[in-house]
Amino acid sequence: MNFKSNKLRDAVVVALVVAAGSATAQAQEETNTTNLDRISVTGSRIRQVDTETAQPVLTISRDQIERQGFKSVADILQNIPAAGSPAISRTSPLSSGEAVGGYYIDLRNLGANRTLILVDGRRLGITNDGLQDVASIPSAMVERIEILKDGASTIYGSDAIAGVINIITRKDFEGAEANVYIGQWDQGDGKRENYDFIMGFRGDRGSLTAGVEYTNEDPVWAKDRWFSRDRFPTGEKSAARPGGLSGTTQWGRFSYNGGTYTLRRDVPGLDVTDFGSFRPTNGTDTSNPALASTVYSGIKRKSAFLNGQFDFTDNVRFNTSVMYTDRDSFAQNAGYPFNSANFDLSSGGLSADSVFNPVGTDVQYVRRGWEVPREVFNSLTTTRFTGVFSGNFQTGDRYWDWEAGYLYNQNKGTQISTGNLNTYAVGQATGASFINADGRAQCGTAANPIPLGSGPGACTPWNPLIPFGYQAANGLDDPNVQAYLYQPGQALSRTTTKNYFANISGSIVTLPAGDLGVSVGVERREESGSFSPDALAQTGISTDLAAGPTAGGYNLNEVYAEFLVPILSDVTFARELSITAATRYSDYDTFGDTLNSKFGLKWKPIDSLLIRGTWSEGFRAPTVADLYGGLSQTFEDYTDPCDTVFGPAANNARCRQDVPAGFRQLNASGTAPAPGPGEQTNNPFVTGSTPTLTPETSTSKTLGVVWSPEFIEGFNTSLDWWNIRIENTIVADTPTDLLNDCYLRGIESRCVGFTRNGAGNVTSLNFGLRNAGYVETEGFDWDINYRFETGFGNFTTSIQSSYVTKNEIKQDNSANPPTQDNGFGGNFRLRSNASVNWQLDDLSITWTARYYSGTKEQCYFDDRCTLPDYAAPDTAGQILPQNELGSNTFHDLQVAYNLPWNATVAVGANNVFDHWAAPAYAQPNSGYSYYGGFDIGRFVYMKYQQKF
């Protein structure tokens, strides 16, 4: 691949080489101070000295964050091994809805709305779909991140099924600090800038910490990446997906007498109303929509935050936190692929009475609006406030900590979209027209003219057969035509979270092995939200997906109790043995109440060995969108199981009954067979909410060991087994699942909600939400950490791995086997991060390797089927040939140097070897044939930090 020369890239590469070769100074001892006071650890509200608890918690410190090349909170979290695939990938430009533009973390691949995000132990605001946008959190305010890899509904309530991410912010800061981060992809695009400033002071009665941050990440265009741009022969193993071209092109075509015709583009100045100026379409009349689309969306974020503490007395204080974030994102797709026959208001096609009609009879036409791309601008403002009174008191020789407070979080979103046509205007513009006295085309007839213009009651004629770039009157490049056919859309969203809480914790009695700790608390939470799609889209006269408004809310009251019971202490084979127990009662005004409990075991047979385990219940309540969302249209990617080339049920009796012999699913333009599975429908499907949904319930189990051998100073390792099973899952149905249940799994109740035409093509399909089936995942987490000093520098090494042994999904309550979704698409069996940091005096070098195991996907072409005899367990042994994709490792390098004026400069590269994965034709978490969570090239960056 040839990459354009770039000054930033060259400077960073040179700096890396020079810095790596200049390590000649002596070792410097790190002087980190550990506070051994009683603290709260994520997953428990009982204060204790030991940070190792019965449940596994991964901590990412501020120092570890600064050693990475990832600057945003989202990127930092997305790259931990326990993180699943991106919930809404930036490489999916066709994603639509309220949540587009945000970043959502999905632990264990169980869904982002089953991972609870906290800021200082309090919930982050949610979308109407229950997603929590970590892009709203400025990285400058992060002190550390704690990831609880266990269920915690008993402590935090709904949604804490897959785990909890607690972002601890910087407080009690003194001085000032400024940071600059600039980087871009090696191809010279996708520039990222981050500037932040934080300052604070401490006084006798309190402290104040404040900061601001600005982030700008430019989009990356699909035409600049091989996997989204190129079309190669099927025989090339490194090729992008064949058939990626579209027949719904910017050249325009019409159907006449059984053929399709397009204007000759090799001769300028042809009479566009003369049939002789047209020729039959051929294989050259295609286009690549990726040439006008983004492969990576852009984002801008402006944030300000304030943390304050005031001590009224030695035992009573007030803590407050305020955050404001304004986030804007941008994505673009090629202009809308308009097919006149697909919309009622334009189903007459180009009228026989139009002055542009070359054959004198109504004809159907297809024209992609290349001149007006579909752009989506998402803006979200987050306003967050917490105020907490807290303190402590003593009763006898017992110490108690208490707190009472209030949380308010509001998200207000605006989505502006362009590039969608008003189908009423299209019908008028391609209807009857005539040449007026001024020699201009005008809508209507000479006897009954319609005024020219784009306002109410006016009309501007359009000739959809004029190709892009061809100079002729009333083409789509005419600004008057654009003004009449296109109106920008605006959608509005708002969610509000109000949380009132009070907690008290302490010890109630001293047992022989120690104090019996207890924490009790009450909470009231009020969630409300609304989403109003564009008014034109709601009427159904726009090519934008029709959607109804969402509005509603729910309230809940909760009470919980947690106990820490010491059993043995400082005896043979029990330096410590304790159990924890917790329970939470939740009462919702929607579905009713639920009770969830949790138990944990912590056993230290010797000082260097900890054995731990937990068993817990959890739940996830239906969201506002689940219960009150309006119906909406969607162009879904789906696979028809009856397709005779790639359909898994093509030969069964039900398919033979419903579709004709040789049936092929159509491509997105409805003009030819689909080139492979996962093709976008050429008709909009309909999806919506279900007000009778009930909560999901879960059971989580962990069992692990932590070993810190005394004979290896600085060494620590942990191994944890985990299992999570979610019952009564709220299933976000998909067209593929519905059709597979009907035709592949033989579930008769699922053979409704869709229709086929005489050719066998699915012409309409309704799908929504339901409680059904289960999800179960299981695996191991293995962490190794080792710090040691040498005469030539200090080393800090770390290996973190997550291995998934089971990932079963069942979306119905039948006796059919579940889907085994482990090692497919974006579900990796093994993810690992290994890092080595070497520090010598003021010089520091960090090397990180990010490993993803291989995956499988269904074969699309015979020459790529590396597993031709693969039998999927969920299809009763039916042979479904698979293509196996290899593993991938991305290497990162950072070199940092402390300057004499209390500053640090760092240069680095993520994916320093410019590694590329093989194309993934199933498009996992992506709009293109490449996994949406992988690096899209080498990313180089420079950082500068100045402390005052």
mmCIF file of all heavy atoms in Angstrom, residues 115-140:
data_model
loop_
_atom_site.group_PDB
_atom_site.id
_atom_site.type_symbol
_atom_site.label_atom_id
_atom_site.label_comp_id
_atom_site.label_asym_id
_atom_site.label_seq_id
_atom_site.Cartn_x
_atom_site.Cartn_y
_atom_site.Cartn_z
ATOM 1 N N THR A 115 -24.084 -3.439 30.959
ATOM 2 C CA THR A 115 -22.908 -2.970 31.679
ATOM 3 C C THR A 115 -23.251 -1.630 32.311
ATOM 4 O O THR A 115 -23.667 -0.706 31.619
ATOM 5 C CB THR A 115 -21.710 -2.803 30.730
ATOM 6 O OG1 THR A 115 -21.362 -4.076 30.170
ATOM 7 C CG2 THR A 115 -20.507 -2.230 31.470
ATOM 8 N N LEU A 116 -23.099 -1.530 33.612
ATOM 9 C CA LEU A 116 -23.444 -0.301 34.317
ATOM 10 C C LEU A 116 -22.219 0.601 34.423
ATOM 11 O O LEU A 116 -21.153 0.161 34.855
ATOM 12 C CB LEU A 116 -23.978 -0.628 35.713
ATOM 13 C CG LEU A 116 -24.414 0.564 36.566
ATOM 14 C CD1 LEU A 116 -25.571 1.310 35.909
ATOM 15 C CD2 LEU A 116 -24.798 0.104 37.978
ATOM 16 N N ILE A 117 -22.371 1.866 34.023
ATOM 17 C CA ILE A 117 -21.306 2.851 34.107
ATOM 18 C C ILE A 117 -21.600 3.801 35.266
ATOM 19 O O ILE A 117 -22.689 4.376 35.352
ATOM 20 C CB ILE A 117 -21.178 3.661 32.798
ATOM 21 C CG1 ILE A 117 -21.098 2.721 31.581
ATOM 22 C CG2 ILE A 117 -19.954 4.573 32.863
ATOM 23 C CD1 ILE A 117 -19.878 1.863 31.525
ATOM 24 N N LEU A 118 -20.629 3.964 36.147
ATOM 25 C CA LEU A 118 -20.739 4.869 37.278
ATOM 26 C C LEU A 118 -19.668 5.953 37.180
ATOM 27 O O LEU A 118 -18.587 5.717 36.638
ATOM 28 C CB LEU A 118 -20.552 4.121 38.601
ATOM 29 C CG LEU A 118 -21.420 2.886 38.870
ATOM 30 C CD1 LEU A 118 -20.988 2.224 40.168
ATOM 31 C CD2 LEU A 118 -22.890 3.251 38.919
ATOM 32 N N VAL A 119 -19.966 7.104 37.710
ATOM 33 C CA VAL A 119 -18.981 8.164 37.913
ATOM 34 C C VAL A 119 -18.962 8.459 39.405
ATOM 35 O O VAL A 119 -19.972 8.905 39.956
ATOM 36 C CB VAL A 119 -19.317 9.427 37.099
ATOM 37 C CG1 VAL A 119 -18.293 10.521 37.375
ATOM 38 C CG2 VAL A 119 -19.371 9.115 35.610
ATOM 39 N N ASP A 120 -17.841 8.154 40.038
ATOM 40 C CA ASP A 120 -17.717 8.291 41.495
ATOM 41 C C ASP A 120 -18.831 7.541 42.223
ATOM 42 O O ASP A 120 -19.412 8.026 43.198
ATOM 43 C CB ASP A 120 -17.717 9.763 41.901
ATOM 44 C CG ASP A 120 -16.466 10.491 41.443
ATOM 45 O OD1 ASP A 120 -15.402 9.859 41.412
ATOM 46 O OD2 ASP A 120 -16.565 11.681 41.106
ATOM 47 N N GLY A 121 -19.150 6.360 41.709
ATOM 48 C CA GLY A 121 -20.140 5.519 42.361
ATOM 49 C C GLY A 121 -21.582 5.856 42.055
ATOM 50 O O GLY A 121 -22.485 5.212 42.591
ATOM 51 N N ARG A 122 -21.822 6.859 41.173
ATOM 52 C CA ARG A 122 -23.185 7.264 40.822
ATOM 53 C C ARG A 122 -23.416 7.009 39.336
ATOM 54 O O ARG A 122 -22.523 7.186 38.519
ATOM 55 C CB ARG A 122 -23.418 8.750 41.131
ATOM 56 C CG ARG A 122 -22.959 9.198 42.503
ATOM 57 C CD ARG A 122 -23.713 8.491 43.600
ATOM 58 N NE ARG A 122 -23.158 8.815 44.908
ATOM 59 C CZ ARG A 122 -23.327 8.062 45.991
ATOM 60 N NH1 ARG A 122 -24.044 6.948 45.923
ATOM 61 N NH2 ARG A 122 -22.785 8.413 47.141
ATOM 62 N N ARG A 123 -24.628 6.650 38.996
ATOM 63 C CA ARG A 123 -24.955 6.293 37.620
ATOM 64 C C ARG A 123 -24.686 7.424 36.634
ATOM 65 O O ARG A 123 -24.983 8.578 36.897
ATOM 66 C CB ARG A 123 -26.439 5.920 37.515
ATOM 67 C CG ARG A 123 -26.791 4.588 38.124
ATOM 68 C CD ARG A 123 -28.285 4.360 38.127
ATOM 69 N NE ARG A 123 -28.587 3.016 38.586
ATOM 70 C CZ ARG A 123 -28.796 1.972 37.791
ATOM 71 N NH1 ARG A 123 -28.755 2.136 36.483
ATOM 72 N NH2 ARG A 123 -29.051 0.789 38.293
ATOM 73 N N LEU A 124 -24.132 7.025 35.486
ATOM 74 C CA LEU A 124 -24.049 7.940 34.359
ATOM 75 C C LEU A 124 -25.419 7.966 33.681
ATOM 76 O O LEU A 124 -26.151 6.973 33.703
ATOM 77 C CB LEU A 124 -22.983 7.453 33.371
ATOM 78 C CG LEU A 124 -22.648 8.361 32.195
ATOM 79 C CD1 LEU A 124 -22.049 9.674 32.668
ATOM 80 C CD2 LEU A 124 -21.667 7.655 31.253
ATOM 81 N N GLY A 125 -25.792 9.098 33.092
ATOM 82 C CA GLY A 125 -27.088 9.210 32.430
ATOM 83 C C GLY A 125 -27.221 8.233 31.280
ATOM 84 O O GLY A 125 -26.230 7.736 30.724
ATOM 85 N N ILE A 126 -28.461 7.950 30.879
ATOM 86 C CA ILE A 126 -28.728 6.948 29.857
ATOM 87 C C ILE A 126 -29.493 7.552 28.687
ATOM 88 O O ILE A 126 -30.106 8.612 28.793
ATOM 89 C CB ILE A 126 -29.545 5.772 30.434
ATOM 90 C CG1 ILE A 126 -30.887 6.278 30.982
ATOM 91 C CG2 ILE A 126 -28.754 5.025 31.470
ATOM 92 C CD1 ILE A 126 -31.789 5.161 31.487
ATOM 93 N N THR A 127 -29.443 6.842 27.560
ATOM 94 C CA THR A 127 -30.326 7.152 26.447
ATOM 95 C C THR A 127 -31.669 6.488 26.712
ATOM 96 O O THR A 127 -31.839 5.728 27.672
ATOM 97 C CB THR A 127 -29.756 6.635 25.123
ATOM 98 O OG1 THR A 127 -29.764 5.183 25.154
ATOM 99 C CG2 THR A 127 -28.325 7.111 24.895
ATOM 100 N N ASN A 128 -32.629 6.733 25.854
ATOM 101 C CA ASN A 128 -33.920 6.071 26.001
ATOM 102 C C ASN A 128 -33.809 4.562 25.833
ATOM 103 O O ASN A 128 -34.665 3.814 26.298
ATOM 104 C CB ASN A 128 -34.915 6.637 24.990
ATOM 105 C CG ASN A 128 -35.383 8.031 25.360
ATOM 106 O OD1 ASN A 128 -36.077 8.222 26.342
ATOM 107 N ND2 ASN A 128 -34.980 9.028 24.575
ATOM 108 N N ASP A 129 -32.722 4.101 25.182
ATOM 109 C CA ASP A 129 -32.475 2.669 25.019
ATOM 110 C C ASP A 129 -31.672 2.090 26.176
ATOM 111 O O ASP A 129 -31.313 0.914 26.144
ATOM 112 C CB ASP A 129 -31.724 2.404 23.709
ATOM 113 C CG ASP A 129 -32.611 2.638 22.500
ATOM 114 O OD1 ASP A 129 -33.738 2.132 22.487
ATOM 115 O OD2 ASP A 129 -32.165 3.328 21.562
ATOM 116 N N GLY A 130 -31.343 2.912 27.165
ATOM 117 C CA GLY A 130 -30.599 2.416 28.314
ATOM 118 C C GLY A 130 -29.099 2.378 28.125
ATOM 119 O O GLY A 130 -28.395 1.753 28.921
ATOM 120 N N LEU A 131 -28.574 3.042 27.098
ATOM 121 C CA LEU A 131 -27.137 3.066 26.852
ATOM 122 C C LEU A 131 -26.504 4.251 27.569
ATOM 123 O O LEU A 131 -27.100 5.327 27.671
ATOM 124 C CB LEU A 131 -26.850 3.148 25.355
ATOM 125 C CG LEU A 131 -27.371 1.983 24.508
ATOM 126 C CD1 LEU A 131 -27.147 2.252 23.044
ATOM 127 C CD2 LEU A 131 -26.706 0.681 24.915
ATOM 128 N N GLN A 132 -25.289 4.067 28.050
ATOM 129 C CA GLN A 132 -24.569 5.108 28.788
ATOM 130 C C GLN A 132 -23.346 5.526 27.979
ATOM 131 O O GLN A 132 -22.459 4.720 27.708
ATOM 132 C CB GLN A 132 -24.164 4.588 30.166
ATOM 133 C CG GLN A 132 -25.353 4.219 31.043
ATOM 134 C CD GLN A 132 -24.927 3.625 32.365
ATOM 135 O OE1 GLN A 132 -24.525 2.476 32.440
ATOM 136 N NE2 GLN A 132 -24.992 4.419 33.425
ATOM 137 N N ASP A 133 -23.313 6.789 27.602
ATOM 138 C CA ASP A 133 -22.309 7.307 26.670
ATOM 139 C C ASP A 133 -21.048 7.720 27.422
ATOM 140 O O ASP A 133 -21.011 8.778 28.054
ATOM 141 C CB ASP A 133 -22.905 8.488 25.900
ATOM 142 C CG ASP A 133 -21.932 9.078 24.902
ATOM 143 O OD1 ASP A 133 -20.921 8.419 24.599
ATOM 144 O OD2 ASP A 133 -22.191 10.193 24.417
ATOM 145 N N VAL A 134 -19.984 6.917 27.312
ATOM 146 C CA VAL A 134 -18.740 7.269 27.990
ATOM 147 C C VAL A 134 -17.991 8.371 27.248
ATOM 148 O O VAL A 134 -17.016 8.922 27.775
ATOM 149 C CB VAL A 134 -17.828 6.033 28.165
ATOM 150 C CG1 VAL A 134 -18.468 5.026 29.093
ATOM 151 C CG2 VAL A 134 -17.502 5.397 26.828
ATOM 152 N N ALA A 135 -18.443 8.721 26.018
ATOM 153 C CA ALA A 135 -17.827 9.848 25.313
ATOM 154 C C ALA A 135 -18.140 11.167 25.985
ATOM 155 O O ALA A 135 -17.503 12.180 25.692
ATOM 156 C CB ALA A 135 -18.306 9.891 23.849
ATOM 157 N N SER A 136 -19.107 11.183 26.891
ATOM 158 C CA SER A 136 -19.444 12.420 27.602
ATOM 159 C C SER A 136 -18.489 12.699 28.753
ATOM 160 O O SER A 136 -18.571 13.753 29.378
ATOM 161 C CB SER A 136 -20.877 12.343 28.139
ATOM 162 O OG SER A 136 -20.999 11.318 29.112
ATOM 163 N N ILE A 137 -17.572 11.779 29.031
ATOM 164 C CA ILE A 137 -16.662 11.926 30.170
ATOM 165 C C ILE A 137 -15.300 12.403 29.674
ATOM 166 O O ILE A 137 -14.624 11.690 28.922
ATOM 167 C CB ILE A 137 -16.509 10.595 30.920
ATOM 168 C CG1 ILE A 137 -17.883 10.088 31.381
ATOM 169 C CG2 ILE A 137 -15.569 10.751 32.107
ATOM 170 C CD1 ILE A 137 -17.854 8.700 31.942
ATOM 171 N N PRO A 138 -14.852 13.579 30.059
ATOM 172 C CA PRO A 138 -13.525 14.040 29.638
ATOM 173 C C PRO A 138 -12.424 13.239 30.333
ATOM 174 O O PRO A 138 -12.501 12.975 31.532
ATOM 175 C CB PRO A 138 -13.510 15.511 30.059
ATOM 176 C CG PRO A 138 -14.513 15.607 31.162
ATOM 177 C CD PRO A 138 -15.567 14.592 30.864
ATOM 178 N N SER A 139 -11.424 12.838 29.569
ATOM 179 C CA SER A 139 -10.351 12.025 30.151
ATOM 180 C C SER A 139 -9.546 12.802 31.180
ATOM 181 O O SER A 139 -8.939 12.212 32.073
ATOM 182 C CB SER A 139 -9.433 11.510 29.042
ATOM 183 O OG SER A 139 -8.844 12.587 28.332
ATOM 184 N N ALA A 140 -9.546 14.137 31.083
ATOM 185 C CA ALA A 140 -8.761 14.948 32.012
ATOM 186 C C ALA A 140 -9.254 14.813 33.443
ATOM 187 O O ALA A 140 -8.492 15.034 34.386
ATOM 188 C CB ALA A 140 -8.804 16.414 31.588
#
